[in-house]
Amino acid sequence: MYLFIYYKKSGEVQYIQIDTQNMSIGRKETCDIYLDETGVSREHAMISIPENGFPVITDLNSKNGSFVNNIRITKRQLRPGDVVRFGNVSLIFTWNHEFFMENQQHLHYQTALLQIDRNLLTEKEYPVLIQGLLDEVFKVIAADRGYLILRNDGKYNVMAYKGANIEEKNTFEKEISSTLIEQCFSSPKSFFISDALSDPRYSHSISIHDLKLRSVLVSPLRYSNDVIGALYLENRSQPNVFTEYDRQFMDKLSEMASLSIMRAWELHEEKRKRKMLETDIFKKYKFPGIITRDPDMVKILETISHIASSNAGILIEGETGTGKELIAKAIHLNSSRADKPFEVLNCGAFNEQLLDSELFGYMKGAFTGAFNDKEGLLAKANGGTLFLDEISDIKFDLQVKLLRLLQSGEYRPLGSNKTEFTDIRFICATHKNLKKLVENGQFRDDLFYRVYCIELKLPPLRERSGDIPILINHFVKICCEQEGFNIKTIDPEIYSLLSNYPFPGNVRELEHLIKSAVIISKNDTVRKDHLPQDILKKLEPCFSPTNIFTKKDLLEAKKQVINNAVSKVEEKFIRDVLSASHGNVSKAAEKAEINRSYFQKLIKKYGLAAKNFRK
C-alpha cells in the first residue's frame, strides 16, 4: 500500500513495503524495518497505519531524533513525497511501487528532495547552502532564472540567484515582480502562473508588464509560522512551463529548507556582526599586543571599551600567561588617564617587607639599609593606573593597609609621619579563585569587595584555539624583527599540531615556543622539527597519519592519563597541607605523613614555594 524508498550510498535502491499496522524501525535486528547505519538507534521509531489516512511516524526517544522534511518530530502523519530521516538514513515516503515506477517525473522530484535533504544535513555554510539549493531546483524544474529572497526589517533581499546576468546583480529589485512577492508573503502555499503577461488578474501590475513575465513559480519560506522569504522561479520566454507537480515539489522543498536556511542565516549574521564588532573595536580603541579573533576575547575587549572611562575597581582573573597585564594596560590606554603613568607590581614576587616598601616607599633611616628616601609606586603612579598582579599573595597585615588606601587614597611611606594622598585607578589580577580564598579566610572580604567591582575572566589558550594560528604568525613576525631573521614560510603542520596542544603556560608558553623554533631554524622556513621534542612527543602519537596503534600503545596511553590525573590530585594535596600548616614545611610533611625531604622534593616538583602559604 505504501512504500519507503531508500537510496543507499552504494547506489543500490531498496524498496521497503509498509504493509503492517505497526512496524518498528531501528538498528536492532528484530525491528520490522532494519536500518544498520550510523546514527540510527536500536529502537528508533514506530510507523503505524490508522484506519483512515496516511501512516503516522512516532519517535521512540531516539538519540539523534526522527525528521520529516528536515523538521524534528515526536509524532507526525506522513504525506507522499515526504523525506523521512532516521540518524543519517534518508527515506522517501510514497505510494506503492507501481505508482512510483509509472510516474518517472515523480522519481526526479523525490531524488532531488533526497539530495537536498542530504545537503541540508551536511552543509552549514550559508552561501554554499543556499546556492546549492537553487542548483538542485534547476535540475528538475525548467526555469531560466531563480532567486532566493529573504525579508529583513521589512526589506526584500536577494541572497542567491541563478540564471541572471552578472551585470544585473545590483539591480535585483528591478528584476523581480513586487506584485508576486507581496502575494507570496501573504500566501500559505506555493503558486504558479502559466502566463502572467496575459493573465487578467495581473493586468494592472506594472512590474509584470515591465519584465514581460510569462511562466512564474513562487514558494514561501516559513519559519515559526512567519513567512521569512521566498523561492522565486521564472521563465520569460515561454508560457505554461510550470506544472502542479512543480508546485507540490516547491512546497515540499520550502518546508524542508526553511529551518536550515534560517539557522544558517542567523549563524552567518552572527559571524558578520562579530567581525564588524572586532574591526570596529580595534579601530576605535587601543589594544597593543592583544591578538585575537576569539568571540569570548572580543566580548572582553568590548567590555573594556565600556568600562575604561570609569574609575571602578577591576579584578582580572585568569591562568598564568593568559595576558592579564596586557588587558590591564589596554584598560589604562583607553581611559582618561592614558597620558599618565601605568605602573605594575607583582605581589607574589616580594616578601611582605619588600612589598610594603615597593608600594608605599620609605624615608631615609626607616630601616637598616635605608640610606636614602625612596619613592613608592603609589607616588610614581599618581594620576595614572597601578596594576597589582597576583593580589591574592598579599599577606593579611598588608591587606589592611591596602584597604585603607583604596577607601581614602591616603597612605604613609615607611618611616614617615606625614600622610600622603594619591589619585590612582587600581586594577588587580590573580590566577587564583579569590572568592574561594575569602571563603577559606585567606583573603579579607572587605578588601575583596573593594577590588571586585567589575570582573574580567580571561579564557585559557586551550579554550581559544582558533587564535593559535594568528598568534603563531604574530610571534614569528615579532621574533624576526627582534633577531633580524627572514622567515618566509611556516610548515602548515605546525598550525594543526599546536592547535591541539593544551598549553598549560597559555600565550606566554606559545610565545617562547615559537621564539625558540624561529631561532633554531637555519633557513627561511619554520618546520615542526624545530619545535621542542617534549611537545612533539605529546602530540605526534595522536596526529601521525601513519601511526598504527598496538595494545602496548593503549596501555601506555592509559598509564599517561592516570599519571596526569594523579599528579593533579597530588599537587592539590600538597597545596592544601601547606596552606593548613601556614607554610611550615615540617608540620605540613607531618600532616601528610610523608618524609620531610621527600615532601620538599614534591614542593619543588610542582613549582611551589612554602613562603607563599605563610600568613
Side-chain angles (χ1 to χ4, degrees), residues 3 12-13 52 76 177 179 239 317 410 459 462 469 472 495 545:
L3 197 68
E12 180 189 351
V13 180
N52 297 305
R76 173 157 166 173
S177 169
T179 303
E317 289 189 344
E410 297 177 346
R462 62 183 172 274
I472 290 172
Y495 296 115

Side-chain angles (χ1 to χ4, degrees), residues 142-145 193-197 208 211-216 233-242:
D144 57 19
R145 293 172 186 239
I193 304 164
S194 298
D195 190 352
L197 198 58
I208 287 176
L211 296 170
K212 297 180 172 54
L213 295 182
R214 307 300 297 270
S215 301
V216 184
L233 305 176
E234 60 180 46
N235 190 311
R236 296 186 184 182
S237 59
Q238 299 177 44
N240 303 308
V241 168
F242 304 123

Side-chain angles (χ1 to χ4, degrees), residues 145-368:
R145 293 172 186 239
Y147 305 90
L148 193 151
I149 302 157
L150 289 184
R151 180 165 61 180
N152 188 27
D153 295 330
K155 295 180 180 179
Y156 302 123
N157 301 295
V158 173
M159 312 310 296
Y161 65 94
K162 190 173 178 67
N165 296 326
I166 295 300
E167 56 265 30
E168 296 171 357
K169 186 175 179 181
N170 297 320
T171 57
F172 278 132
E173 66 277 4
K174 297 177 182 177
E175 295 297 318
I176 297 171
S177 169
S178 57
T179 303
L180 299 181
I181 289 298
E182 290 294 341
Q183 180 180 338
C184 171
F185 275 85
S186 61
S187 171
K189 290 193 176 183
S190 307
F191 64 89
F192 71 97
I193 304 164
S194 298
D195 190 352
L197 198 58
S198 62
D199 195 316
R201 293 174 298 172
Y202 304 106
S203 59
H204 299 294
S205 172
I206 297 173
S207 60
I208 287 176
H209 285 270
D210 285 348
L211 296 170
K212 297 180 172 54
L213 295 182
R214 307 300 297 270
S215 301
V216 184
L217 196 164
V218 190
S219 181
L221 296 169
R222 292 184 171 275
Y223 180 72
S224 298
N225 298 320
D226 294 322
V227 178
I228 58 163
L231 284 164
Y232 178 105
L233 305 176
E234 60 180 46
N235 190 311
R236 296 186 184 182
S237 59
Q238 299 177 44
N240 303 308
V241 168
F242 304 123
T243 67
E244 174 60 19
Y245 286 130
D246 291 334
R247 188 199 69 76
Q248 291 175 11
F249 167 78
M250 291 298 290
D251 224 19
K252 190 73 67 179
L253 183 148
S254 296
E255 181 186 1
M256 284 174 56
S258 294
L259 181 62
S260 292
I261 289 173
M262 197 59 194
R263 285 178 177 171
W265 165 249
E266 288 170 348
L267 184 62
H268 178 74
E269 279 295 282
E270 184 183 334
K271 287 181 180 177
R272 184 184 66 81
K273 289 175 182 177
R274 193 166 67 223
K275 191 172 181 180
M276 284 179 62
L277 173 64
E278 177 189 326
T279 306
D280 229 27
I281 282 178
F282 280 100
K283 279 184 178 178
K284 289 182 180 179
Y285 301 95
K286 299 173 184 176
F287 299 110
I290 298 175
I291 310 296
T292 187
R293 289 177 187 165
D294 179 75
D296 290 337
M297 282 298 293
V298 171
K299 284 179 183 177
I300 288 171
L301 299 186
E302 185 184 11
T303 301
I304 289 173
S305 70
H306 296 317
I307 66 176
S309 58
S310 161
N311 278 319
I314 295 173
L315 178 65
I316 305 170
E317 289 189 344
E319 294 178 8
T320 301
T322 49
K324 296 186 286 293
E325 187 174 333
L326 285 175
I327 292 293
K329 187 71 178 285
I331 295 168
H332 171 72
L333 290 176
N334 291 287
S335 72
S336 58
R337 300 173 182 266
D339 58 343
K340 302 295 182 183
F342 175 79
E343 297 290 341
V344 178
L345 178 61
N346 188 334
C347 303
F350 301 93
N351 62 33
E352 188 171 358
Q353 185 179 359
L354 285 174
L355 190 60
D356 207 329
S357 60
E358 282 291 316
L359 187 59
F360 297 102
Y362 54 81
M363 307 303 292
K364 179 180 178 181
F367 50 84
T368 303

Side-chain angles (χ1 to χ4, degrees), residues 6 8-9 27 35-41 86-89:
Y6 179 17
K8 296 185 177 181
K9 291 179 182 177
R27 198 161 42 84
L35 300 173
D36 186 18
E37 295 287 350
T38 308
V40 179
S41 297
F86 308 110
N88 294 331
V89 175

Side-chain angles (χ1 to χ4, degrees), residues 255-502:
E255 181 186 1
M256 284 174 56
S258 294
L259 181 62
S260 292
I261 289 173
M262 197 59 194
R263 285 178 177 171
W265 165 249
E266 288 170 348
L267 184 62
H268 178 74
E269 279 295 282
E270 184 183 334
K271 287 181 180 177
R272 184 184 66 81
K273 289 175 182 177
R274 193 166 67 223
K275 191 172 181 180
M276 284 179 62
L277 173 64
E278 177 189 326
T279 306
D280 229 27
I281 282 178
F282 280 100
K283 279 184 178 178
K284 289 182 180 179
Y285 301 95
K286 299 173 184 176
F287 299 110
I290 298 175
I291 310 296
T292 187
R293 289 177 187 165
D294 179 75
D296 290 337
M297 282 298 293
V298 171
K299 284 179 183 177
I300 288 171
L301 299 186
E302 185 184 11
T303 301
I304 289 173
S305 70
H306 296 317
I307 66 176
S309 58
S310 161
N311 278 319
I314 295 173
L315 178 65
I316 305 170
E317 289 189 344
E319 294 178 8
T320 301
T322 49
K324 296 186 286 293
E325 187 174 333
L326 285 175
I327 292 293
K329 187 71 178 285
I331 295 168
H332 171 72
L333 290 176
N334 291 287
S335 72
S336 58
R337 300 173 182 266
D339 58 343
K340 302 295 182 183
F342 175 79
E343 297 290 341
V344 178
L345 178 61
N346 188 334
C347 303
F350 301 93
N351 62 33
E352 188 171 358
Q353 185 179 359
L354 285 174
L355 190 60
D356 207 329
S357 60
E358 282 291 316
L359 187 59
F360 297 102
Y362 54 81
M363 307 303 292
K364 179 180 178 181
F367 50 84
T368 303
F371 300 116
N372 297 294
D373 294 349
K374 180 184 176 181
E375 192 176 47
L377 289 177
L378 293 177
K380 289 179 181 179
N382 191 26
T385 302
L386 179 59
F387 174 52
L388 298 176
D389 198 6
E390 301 304 346
I391 191 174
S392 53
D393 291 343
I394 294 179
K395 305 305 175 189
F396 257 66
D397 289 346
L398 193 53
Q399 286 181 30
V400 176
K401 294 175 75 172
L402 185 58
L403 177 63
R404 181 170 180 267
L405 171 66
L406 290 172
Q407 287 173 332
S408 64
E410 297 177 346
Y411 70 98
R412 286 183 185 177
L414 297 177
S416 173
N417 294 320
K418 182 182 176 183
T419 298
E420 304 285 351
F421 177 82
T422 187
D423 172 27
I424 287 177
R425 202 253 181 93
F426 288 91
I427 301 175
C428 302
T430 178
H431 75 281
K432 298 178 182 177
N433 187 328
L434 212 54
K435 285 182 182 176
K436 194 171 182 180
L437 293 180
V438 171
E439 291 170 4
N440 294 338
Q442 295 172 275
F443 197 85
R444 292 181 63 97
D445 57 352
D446 46 6
L447 179 58
F448 171 76
Y449 291 114
R450 275 284 170 182
V451 302
Y452 190 74
C453 181
I454 298 170
E455 181 189 33
L456 296 175
K457 283 192 174 182
L458 305 189
L461 186 56
R462 62 183 172 274
E463 291 180 10
R464 41 180 285 222
S465 57
D467 277 346
I468 290 175
I470 59 173
L471 285 168
I472 290 172
N473 294 338
H474 173 70
F475 291 139
V476 167
K477 181 182 176 183
I478 295 297
C479 186
C480 287
E481 290 173 356
Q482 291 173 347
E483 303 292 335
F485 293 131
N486 184 27
I487 301 296
K488 293 179 181 177
T489 57
I490 302 170
D491 183 352
E493 198 169 356
I494 285 180
Y495 296 115
S496 59
L497 281 169
L498 295 185
S499 292
N500 290 285
Y501 180 64

